[in-house]
């Protein structure tokens, strides 16, 4: 199999702290440095949250703007994906950074249980976030915590709420949500292909120790992979991951074992149907 594999690095998230792993980047400068290392290791999408100085999650558009500026400067061509997740804010504050027009943003299209609470994504908020993404030319990554979320994405696409072919990410291993189940994983792939076509791109994310397993499954099955300290702070039970880049290199090694080249940022943008950065539009093809 020679299909390039896109590696997404989820650098920070809303939960891990430096007490969990000192390598978790919290400040904007730490995030930019960690992203650059991951980019050089092979990641072509950065999934980004921002934090307050006390490490609590934030939806502050100014922090997102500073992070976007730093990544564009130090990681030219990298796909910037902002999180609109519910741990960082409530209601429409979750989409307050979308006018910055990142390349992508996460979009959870339904509610589900999390370890200690309900992850609420009410229909009116989902519709509003999707409309903002259309307005500002932001491609959504559909976060599928359940099979119904893939079918909801098809419904939204049919209604014109999503532009182009959605990028579906299977999220498995969150406690009280979808466990890591091989039969379910394969049916997710079948469902994406049935609803969106055989060439529709998809990705998989595993939480904690399941990150490695989902990287292996997704890469071997022809999908794309997410890694990073947001989802998992360890290389193994006894070893903390020294950086986001280390987790990216591990995913790249899996690509190599499966004879799949790691996608360049140009290839990743072509696969996902994304625009070129402003300073690469003249005289350079994707």
């Amino acid at each position: 199999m020679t299909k390039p594999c896109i590696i997404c690095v989820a650098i920070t998230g809303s939960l891990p702290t430096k007490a969990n792993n000192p390598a978790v980047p919290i400040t904007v400068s730490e995030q930019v440095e960690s992203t650059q290392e991951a980019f050089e290791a092979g990641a072509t999408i950065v999934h980004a949250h921002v934090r307050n100085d006390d490490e609590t999650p934030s939806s502050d558009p100014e922090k997102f703007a500073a992070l976007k500026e730093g990544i564009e400067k130090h990681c030219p061509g990298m796909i910037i994906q902002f999180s609109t997740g519910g741990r960082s804010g409530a209601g429409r504050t979750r989409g307050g950074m979308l006018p910055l027009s990142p390349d992508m943003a996460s979009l959870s299209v339904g509610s589900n249980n999390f370890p200690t609470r309900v992850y609420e994504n009410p229909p009116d908020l989902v519709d509003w976030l999707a409309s903002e993404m259309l307005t500002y030319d932001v491609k959504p990554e559909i976060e599928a915590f359940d099979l119904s979320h893939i079918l909801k994405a098809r419904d939204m696409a049919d209604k014109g709420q999503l532009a182009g072919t959605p990028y579906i990410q299977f999220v498995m291993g969150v406690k009280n949500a979808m466990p890591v189940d091989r039969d379910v994983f394969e049916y997710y792939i079948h469902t994406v292909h049935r609803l969106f076509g055989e060439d529709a791109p998809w990705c998989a994310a595993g939480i904690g120790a399941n990150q490695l397993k989902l990287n292996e499954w997704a890469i071997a099955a022809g999908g794309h992979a997410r890694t990073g300290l947001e989802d998992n702070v360890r290389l193994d039970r006894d070893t903390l991951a020294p950086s986001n880049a280390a987790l990216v290199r591990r995913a790249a090694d899996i690509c190599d074992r499966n004879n799949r080249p790691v996608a360049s940022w140009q290839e990743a943008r072509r696969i996902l149907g994304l625009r070129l950065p402003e300073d690469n539009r003249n005289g350079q093809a994707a």
Side-chain angles (χ1 to χ4, degrees), residues 159-229:
K159 293 176 178 176
Q161 294 177 284
L162 306 175
T165 302
Y167 187 45
I168 310 290
Q169 177 169 264
F170 317 146
V171 185
M172 308 184 82
V174 176
K175 183 180 179 181
N176 298 327
M178 181 56 68
V180 176
D181 183 290
R182 187 59 187 254
D183 287 345
V184 172
F185 173 78
E186 293 179 355
Y187 193 73
Y188 276 176
I189 300 171
H190 167 77
T191 303
V192 168
H193 289 165
R194 177 173 64 86
L195 296 179
F196 297 103
E198 288 296 323
D199 294 330
W202 58 270
C203 177
I207 307 303
N210 292 305
Q211 184 177 84
L212 177 59
K213 182 177 292 186
L214 265 293
N215 284 173
E216 292 172 338
W217 288 1
I219 292 167
H224 305 290
R226 167 164 148 162
T227 190
L229 293 168

Side-chain angles (χ1 to χ4, degrees), residues 104-123:
M104 300 182 72
S106 60
L107 179 63
S108 297
V109 297
S111 301
N112 57 276
N113 286 342
F114 266 9
T116 59
R117 68 182 185 89
V118 175
Y119 182 29
E120 295 185 32
N121 293 289

Side-chain angles (χ1 to χ4, degrees), residues 196-259:
F196 297 103
E198 288 296 323
D199 294 330
W202 58 270
C203 177
I207 307 303
N210 292 305
Q211 184 177 84
L212 177 59
K213 182 177 292 186
L214 265 293
N215 284 173
E216 292 172 338
W217 288 1
I219 292 167
H224 305 290
R226 167 164 148 162
T227 190
L229 293 168
E230 171 176 349
D231 300 335
N232 164 50
V233 297
R234 295 182 176 276
L235 287 176
D236 56 47
R237 183 185 297 273
D238 300 316
T239 310
L240 291 174
S243 63
N244 276 300
L247 295 171
V248 171
R249 284 191 288 269
R250 183 171 73 175
D253 287 343
I254 298 170
C255 290
D256 186 60
R257 294 200 297 273
N258 284 273
N259 298 313

